[in-house]
Amino acid sequence: MKSVLVLLGVLLPLISSGQSGLTDKGLFFPKPSNNSYVSLTPQKPLNLEAFTLCMRLSVDPAVVDKKDRETILFAYRTQYYDELNVWQEKGKISLYMSSSEGAFYAVPLLSIFRTNLTLTWESSTGLTAFWVDGRRSTLQVYRKNHKVQSGGVVILGQDPDSFIGSFDINQSFVGEISDVNMWDSVLTGDQIRNFNEKVWVGPEPNVLNWNTTKYKVHGNVIEVPKKYK
Ligand SMILES: *[C@@H]1O[C@H](CO)[C@@H](O)[C@H](O)[C@H]1NC(C)=O
Ligand SMILES: *[C@@H]1O[C@H](CO)[C@@H](O)[C@H](O)[C@H]1NC(C)=O
Ligand SMILES: *[C@@H]1O[C@H](CO)[C@@H](O)[C@H](O)[C@H]1NC(C)=O
Ligand SMILES: *[C@@H]1O[C@H](CO)[C@@H](O)[C@H](O)[C@H]1NC(C)=O
Ligand SMILES: [Ca+2]
């Protein structure tokens, strides 16, 4: 017990200044809030006709599993639109791209243990898939011929209903996020599985790269030291 307390004391609360690179680190959102979030600066504008978005997540089930709770996992918002949002809600994981209609996937839900989650989408066919720990869901066709628009902000921890604010404590993320990486193309299954195992040999993540990304912490978010990787 004592060693647990000592270890917890080592988790460093971040000050709100821009930093870069989160290699082998996580971001821990310890409790529901309407003001704790992390903004990430993309390496290139998100005018995307295809993407692969990977992240590693664990959640506090006592909060996130509450009936009817919607929990934001990833948000990319421009001035007027939710360009690309990922949720866990209604017993499913969902994707919305500037539409009130989402694509819902009945994949295994996030839990107290870390899960490798990847989404892929391409405009030309609309084919969309969720990968959970290296296993691919069935495909769906979602937002064929759509294009994700640039000029927005990537937010972890909150769902912004305005640019950038209007957060809802009951939609906040509670748990740990790491290894958020994004490409402007659809990776192969082997590349996604390699990513999960951190034996990375495929193309460098060219939209968001967790190892180098500039990020800014707001509110109560704890940077998890490398030894917990
Ligand atoms: C955020 O939460 C605090 C207290 O928990 C509350 O006083 C405040 O009104 C909330 N702000 C918004 C924008 O909901
Ligand atoms: C998920 O990612 C972790 C960390 O890299 C890795 O050790 C683990 O094997 C992955 N799990 C699966 C089932 O892909
Ligand atoms: C959040 O949910 C709780 C419990 O359902 C409710 O009492 C509260 O009003 C909600 N807060 C907001 C800001 O919606
Ligand atoms: C990030 O850094 C870790 C640790 O050095 C490495 O294992 C991983 O492959 C890197 N990820 C990418 C996408 O380059
Ligand atoms: Ca909202």
Side-chain angles (χ1 to χ4, degrees):
M1 185 63 196
K2 195 170 170 205
S3 62
V4 169
L5 292 176
V6 170
L7 287 175
L8 284 175
V10 174
L11 299 172
L12 299 171
L14 286 179
I15 47 166
S16 295
S17 65
Q19 307 190 47
S20 53
L22 282 157
T23 307
D24 290 335
K25 291 181 177 174
L27 296 169
F28 175 44
F29 300 78
K31 52 184 196 182
S33 83
N34 63 9
N35 61 4
S36 299
Y37 67 100
V38 176
S39 50
L40 303 180
T41 306
Q43 287 171 274
K44 57 181 276 189
L46 275 77
N47 46 351
L48 304 174
E49 289 178 46
F51 69 81
T52 299
L53 172 63
C54 290
M55 40 194 172
R56 198 160 280 133
L57 304 139
S58 59
V59 296
D60 179 351
V63 176
V64 168
D65 289 353
K66 276 193 189 124
K67 196 176 175 308
D68 297 331
R69 193 179 199 272
E70 301 167 345
T71 298
I72 191 78
L73 308 182
F74 180 93
Y76 168 64
R77 188 189 165 91
T78 51
Q79 183 90 43
Y80 300 110
Y81 299 101
D82 288 324
E83 289 288 335
L84 202 173
N85 283 8
V86 184
W87 297 85
Q88 177 163 305
E89 55 169 337
K90 304 181 182 102
K92 296 190 172 123
I93 299 190
S94 56
L95 166 68
Y96 294 80
M97 289 196 288
S98 43
S99 170
S100 55
E101 276 174 41
F104 290 80
Y105 291 80
V107 290
L109 297 180
L110 300 176
S111 75
I112 198 164
F113 297 113
R114 285 180 290 177
T115 298
N116 303 300
L117 180 69
T118 294
L119 292 74
T120 63
W121 170 80
E122 57 189 339
S123 175
S124 59
T125 56
L127 291 177
T128 314
F130 273 59
W131 295 75
V132 176
D133 285 337
R135 299 174 70 199
R136 178 170 68 71
S137 71
T138 191
L139 295 166
Q140 293 190 32
V141 174
Y142 180 65
R143 299 295 264 144
K144 187 177 172 182
N145 296 328
H146 175 69
K147 193 167 172 181
V148 178
Q149 302 297 320
S150 57
V153 175
V154 175
I155 300 278
L156 302 177
Q158 298 288 343
D159 168 46
D161 283 348
S162 65
F163 192 81
I164 286 293
S166 308
F167 303 138
D168 180 344
I169 188 171
N170 290 334
Q171 294 180 321
S172 61
F173 179 81
V174 185
E176 211 180 306
I177 305 185
S178 66
D179 302 290
V180 180
N181 286 286
M182 192 173 194
W183 295 256
D184 62 359
S185 62
V186 173
L187 298 188
T188 67
D190 282 343
Q191 289 171 330
I192 290 167
R193 281 183 285 267
N194 281 338
F195 166 81
N196 290 346
E197 301 300 332
K198 290 202 181 184
V199 283
W200 190 245
V201 290
E204 284 285 300
N206 60 358
V207 180
L208 292 170
N209 183 333
W210 192 251
N211 288 359
T212 58
T213 187
K214 287 207 183 69
Y215 64 101
K216 194 167 176 193
V217 172
H218 307 259
N220 183 17
V221 185
I222 294 161
E223 192 174 324
V224 182
K226 293 184 184 198
K227 65 183 169 192
Y228 292 93
K229 79 173 177 164

